Amino acid sequence: MAEFAFAIPGDPDQRTGGYLYDRRLAAELPRQDWQVRPVRLPDGFPFPDAADLAATNRLLAGLPDDMPVMIDGLAFGAMPEVVARHAARLRLVALVHHPLGYETGLSPQAADRLVASERAALAHARHVVVTSTTTAQTLATTFGVAEAKLTVALPGTDPLPVATGSGDAAPALLAVGSVLPRKDFPALVDALATLQDLPWRLVIAGSLVRDLVEAGRLRAAIDRHGLAERVSLTGEVAADELHALLHRSDLFVSSSRYEGFGMALAEAVAAGLPVVAVA
């Protein structure tokens, strides 16, 4: 069985779409006769400091020559100098969920720096795996990645029982995702505030601690519209809790401004829920 290093920044057990994808990929690779060697990179990506970059350099230097090394894009695009240092010795593969500079809430200068950094780093990748055709097109047209170096590996969805719905007079709406600027849950609350004459209730399931400022914006929007009794924030939920929420919801809603793929939407469709999403 060939050995394959998989480098992921931070806690690999985080319940975001990207980390869930990475964990499933690592679990499935042995079925393709790859022995996966996990490499945990520092937490600071995609904004690493000098210590994070030095530690990452040491971790890559400790891998044997010619080893295939897949690096999650949260780190790969943010360390072009480190990537360049090891590109000739290791078979580096970038795993890109979506470009770092496309994250909502960045200043134009920070976004431009991340785009330039990721473009420089990707030039040193022997191959690039992306999770959607949209991301593949973006990397080919904007980041200069040759189409021959790109492989689209779509996220899958496990079979789910068809949702039964809430059975309530007030439709149960569900939104899923970490509370981050890109998900723009305050805009969802603002939109629903215009429908207060209609019966509905909303559950937002996702981490409230990844961006405390954005979580504060969301809570302020709920309070401003007087919707505390109609909008529930669960925080991050485990897989079985999420499946239970999907099963008893009537409609899935998404205010996300950008998605590399949209795994939460796909899971809602797998459960048979109708979806309303931002274009």
Side-chain angles (χ1 to χ4, degrees), residues 142-183:
T142 306
F143 288 79
V145 179
E147 291 186 9
K149 291 173 60 175
L150 286 162
T151 293
V152 178
L154 298 175
T157 50
D158 289 319
L160 291 173
V162 175
T164 59
S166 66
D168 295 338
L173 280 57
L174 176 63
V176 175
S178 297
V179 179
L180 301 170
R182 179 165 52 87
K183 303 298 184 180

Side-chain angles (χ1 to χ4, degrees), residues 17 23 27 34 47 53 77 80 85 95 108 121 128 142 180 187 191 207 219 247 249 266-267 274 278-279:
R23 285 205 301 279
W34 286 103
F47 301 105
L53 293 172
R85 198 171 297 134
L95 170 58
V128 182
T142 306
L180 301 170
S207 173
R219 290 190 173 100
H247 195 65
S249 295
E267 195 160 29
V278 172

